[in-house]
Amino acid sequence: MAAAATDEYYLASNNNTSYSSNEPAAAAEQENYQGFGDSSYNDYTVYAPLYKAIFNNDWERAKAYLKHNPNAVSARLTSTGDTALHIAAVSGRIHLVKELVQLMPSEALEITTHVGCTALLQTAVTGSMEIAKLMVEKNSNLLRIKNPFNLIPLVVSAVNGNEVLLRYLYSVTPKEELDPRAGITGAAFLTSLIMADIYDIALDVLQRYPKLATSRDPDGNTIINMLSIKPSAFPSGNRHGLWQQLIYTSIPIELDHLFRDVERDEDTMRIRSEHVVQKFSQGLIQLAVMHRQEKIYNFMSQMGQKNEMAACIDNFGNNILHFAGVLAPAFQLDKVSGAALQMQREIQWFQEVEQMAQPKYRELPNKAGKKPRDIFREEHKALVKEGEAWLKETSQACMVVSTLIATVMFAAVFTVPGGNNGDTGTPIFLKTRTFYVFMICDAISLFASCTSILMFFAILTARYGEKDFLKSLPQKLILGLASLFISIATMMGAFGATLIIVLNGTVTWAYIPVTFLASVPVLLFGMLQFPLFVDIMRSTYGNGIFHKQNSKKKEKYGKHI
């Protein structure tokens, strides 16, 4: 939807403004024919020399022509109705635009092409802030003139993603132009800002006009529709670094204030199903579920809206559980580590929606005769296979390491450092503290590696049913990885203790570097596997993605729950 809007706005602002080197030649040829008395050609052809000078960025020739033909500065030079200013602006000739603006009366800057675009509207497409500034300083009324799609230059710049120009135009455009009571300008600007990832200005606009939160742009979209298909608008949609994450945490605070203000107008914010049914007969909650936007889902839960809107059924007989059964978009799956955890997240979504939906919807088929569970199984067949392959590959690799550790630690018990007493058979260094450290580390490493082997073996022999991905398989993987990490750490501890026993105080300076080097494998394993381990722990034992905000905001939204 947003892409279509962008193309539509772009065409409205940029139609027939492509200038090729052939047009001046054609115009000159027509001028030559006109010299022989041929009056069948349009009057604009007489301005071919000026057109060629502007197009070739030759101000001296253009200035000479305008000296003898002063009215040409505001004349239409092409069959599409472009003036010299239009041509210079679209071509990015900043110096020519400056000279032309000085020569032109201010009202002449408001001349539009045959499709209804001023030079500023065309500049909003190309994105030159310097050119726009020259025109606005001469005639600020240009900021209010709209294109055929009823969009002002500010909105056109947002649609085309020209952020530098947009910020300038936003600073000089009268803010009342964005008032939802004045038309669709504000809504079109807001949805375009969301698609362009310019959230600071979007927040400022919403704070000025909270009702824009539910206003629709020319394509019928609201800001919530745009957010539902923009994962990058939320922290969960990006894997930010530490500093980015710290900065990003301030955004929800601002949004809380914003939506609290909107809540005061219940006629505006109480979004009922009949008002949010889209072109495809999908309600807002259905869109949030289908695009896996838990932020919007949670927000509607806090506002007491989801149960009311979940009763919507589209034209094909699909209820909200059918939408939950559809495979998540690729950009949402990519946010989760590994196919197995992706499958776990999909099951969590389906179960959450299943708890919310009315019991009759759980077995209610659509017009194709398919129940929600049938849709879920069909859509996730490939993901189940990918999850099985991912788990088996991971388990096999880890199992090899665990087996090697277990073998070494088992053999170390019978070949203790320092050897055994020939008479008694007991270890020579049995009564030293370092030997106790060796034995404890060796035992822990052996037991942990054996536990790890058993867990990975259980994963390899699992039946890989859909529900196994929810708890059973992740739990085994957590225990296997944790045991493997412990076995590696204690194995290096046993190695360090053995080295101290063998050296027996003769090379004391080697203790520190050996200890440091022994810790490197442990740290590397932790650094490489810790993110995966944390993801599994969070998704399996964490608060979940659906209600983790409710406890924090219960007091704020308690009246709606």
Side-chain angles (χ1 to χ4, degrees):
M1 291 182 289
T6 302
D7 294 340
E8 194 174 75
Y9 300 157
Y10 178 84
L11 291 173
S13 302
N14 201 32
N15 192 24
N16 296 326
T17 59
S18 176
Y19 305 111
S20 66
S21 58
N22 294 329
E23 189 165 354
E29 183 178 359
Q30 289 177 344
E31 184 182 25
N32 292 335
Y33 279 109
Q34 193 176 31
F36 288 99
D38 188 346
S39 59
S40 64
Y41 297 99
N42 296 326
D43 292 337
Y44 73 85
T45 58
V46 301
Y47 301 114
L50 178 58
Y51 180 99
K52 292 169 65 177
I54 297 295
F55 184 81
N56 294 323
N57 198 21
D58 189 346
W59 173 243
E60 293 303 321
R61 290 182 59 188
K63 182 178 180 181
Y65 183 90
L66 291 172
K67 184 177 181 179
H68 296 89
N69 301 275
N71 292 332
V73 72
S74 303
R76 301 180 188 276
L77 309 186
T78 69
S79 58
T80 56
D82 300 287
T83 66
L85 183 61
H86 284 88
I87 300 167
V90 172
S91 301
R93 316 298 192 190
I94 299 176
H95 175 67
L96 292 182
V97 170
K98 181 178 181 180
E99 298 294 343
L100 289 170
V101 167
Q102 290 178 351
L103 293 176
M104 297 174 69
S106 60
E107 60 273 12
L109 273 66
E110 300 179 11
I111 297 175
T112 63
T113 62
H114 293 329
V115 295
C117 292
T118 64
L120 182 59
L121 281 165
Q122 292 181 337
T123 302
V125 175
T126 58
S128 175
M129 187 193 73
E130 293 83 359
I131 291 177
K133 191 173 183 180
L134 290 170
M135 290 187 279
V136 171
E137 289 177 350
K138 182 69 176 278
N139 185 347
S140 61
N141 191 53
L142 292 170
L143 297 167
R144 299 176 180 270
I145 299 178
K146 300 177 180 179
N147 68 5
F149 284 83
N150 211 28
L151 303 178
I152 59 176
L154 174 62
V155 181
V156 175
S157 66
V159 168
N160 287 275
N162 297 320
E163 183 174 354
V164 175
L165 175 59
L166 181 153
R167 292 185 180 278
Y168 166 71
L169 291 177
Y170 184 69
S171 68
V172 295
T173 299
K175 298 304 182 287
E176 57 267 21
E177 290 289 325
L178 304 176
D179 193 327
R181 295 171 295 184
I184 63 170
T185 299
F189 181 54
L190 193 58
T191 54
S192 299
L193 287 172
I194 297 300
M195 296 309 296
D197 296 327
I198 306 175
Y199 301 111
D200 55 335
I201 295 181
L203 182 61
D204 184 66
V205 173
L206 278 171
Q207 288 173 336
R208 291 175 182 270
Y209 301 108
K211 288 188 177 182
L212 285 176
T214 53
S215 298
R216 299 188 180 278
D217 67 9
D219 284 329
N221 297 317
T222 66
I223 181 177
I224 302 181
N225 296 139
M226 294 295 100
L227 289 171
S228 71
I229 60 175
K230 286 285 290 184
S232 60
F234 302 102
S236 60
N238 288 286
R239 290 187 175 271
H240 297 295
L242 175 62
W243 292 111
Q244 292 172 308
Q245 199 67 262
L246 291 174
I247 295 172
Y248 219 138
T249 54
S250 63
I251 295 178
I253 298 174
E254 295 294 333
L255 292 178
D256 286 343
H257 294 308
L258 166 66
F259 283 116
R260 186 174 66 233
D261 292 338
V262 177
E263 288 168 25
R264 293 170 184 162
D265 187 353
E266 294 197 6
D267 292 334
T268 300
M269 194 55 199
R270 191 161 178 77
I271 310 172
R272 299 185 181 277
S273 59
E274 62 267 21
H275 292 144
V276 296
V277 175
Q278 306 299 311
K279 297 177 182 178
F280 306 105
S281 301
Q282 297 167 356
L284 183 58
I285 188 70
Q286 281 83 357
L287 285 172
V289 170
M290 187 166 60
H291 291 283
R292 304 296 193 263
Q293 292 292 343
E294 65 272 8
K295 297 289 184 180
I296 296 176
Y297 183 91
N298 287 335
F299 176 74
M300 297 186 69
S301 300
Q302 294 153 6
M303 294 296 295
Q305 297 288 320
K306 66 175 185 178
N307 291 330
E308 179 181 352
M309 298 182 65
C312 295
I313 297 179
D314 71 0
N315 296 335
F316 301 99
N318 295 309
N319 62 56
I320 192 169
L321 270 175
H322 288 95
F323 289 106
V326 176
L327 184 66
F331 65 81
Q332 289 286 13
L333 292 176
D334 291 341
K335 296 189 299 182
V336 183
S337 303
L341 298 186
Q342 292 172 0
M343 186 64 194
Q344 182 191 48
R345 178 62 59 86
E346 288 292 276
I347 296 173
Q348 290 171 344
W349 262 103
F350 191 84
Q351 288 189 348
E352 166 66 18
V353 177
E354 193 174 41
Q355 293 174 3
M356 176 196 67
Q358 298 177 12
K360 65 178 182 180
Y361 286 155
R362 298 173 186 175
E363 301 297 328
L364 187 67
N366 59 16
K367 291 184 178 180
K370 295 182 178 180
K371 298 179 181 180
R373 283 283 178 184
D374 299 331
I375 297 292
F376 185 87
R377 291 191 184 97
E378 291 178 6
E379 289 281 323
H380 294 81
K381 279 183 179 179
L383 188 59
V384 169
K385 292 181 179 179
E386 291 176 9
E388 179 180 352
W390 182 82
L391 280 173
K392 285 185 175 180
E393 290 174 2
T394 304
S395 298
Q396 287 172 351
C398 294
M399 195 172 182
V400 170
V401 178
S402 299
T403 303
L404 290 174
I405 294 174
T407 302
V408 172
M409 293 296 102
F410 183 81
V413 175
F414 301 97
T415 56
V416 295
N420 298 320
N421 188 307
D423 297 329
T424 63
T426 58
I428 296 174
F429 295 98
L430 178 62
K431 296 183 179 181
T432 62
R433 293 182 179 179
T434 310
F435 188 82
Y436 289 147
V437 172
F438 163 77
M439 291 303 298
I440 293 172
C441 288
D442 185 271
I444 293 175
S445 181
L446 178 61
F447 297 148
S449 60
C450 290
T451 302
S452 180
I453 292 171
L454 291 174
M455 290 300 102
F456 292 127
F457 182 75
I459 292 175
L460 290 173
T461 57
R463 66 186 186 91
Y464 291 99
E466 291 175 358
K467 290 187 177 180
D468 293 337
F469 287 91
L470 183 61
K471 289 288 185 181
S472 177
L473 291 172
Q475 287 174 344
K476 291 182 176 68
L477 187 59
I478 289 171
L479 189 54
L481 288 174
S483 300
L484 179 57
F485 178 79
I486 293 172
S487 66
I488 293 175
T490 51
M491 178 186 67
M492 299 311 298
F495 170 76
T498 301
L499 195 63
I500 293 174
I501 292 173
V502 171
L503 294 177
N504 196 21
T506 57
V507 192
T508 56
W509 60 266
Y511 294 165
I512 294 177
V514 167
T515 303
F516 173 76
L517 292 174
S519 64
V520 170
V522 180
L523 294 175
L524 282 177
F525 182 85
M527 292 172 59
L528 295 174
Q529 298 300 325
F530 187 72
L532 174 62
F533 185 79
V534 170
D535 287 344
I536 303 173
M537 288 289 293
R538 183 183 294 130
S539 61
T540 305
Y541 299 110
N543 294 328
I545 60 175
F546 300 105
H547 302 294
K548 60 185 178 182
Q549 296 179 351
N550 287 7
S551 59
K552 297 179 182 179
K553 301 182 181 179
K554 188 173 181 180
E555 295 182 0
K556 292 184 179 181
Y557 300 102
K559 61 181 180 181
H560 297 288
I561 296 177

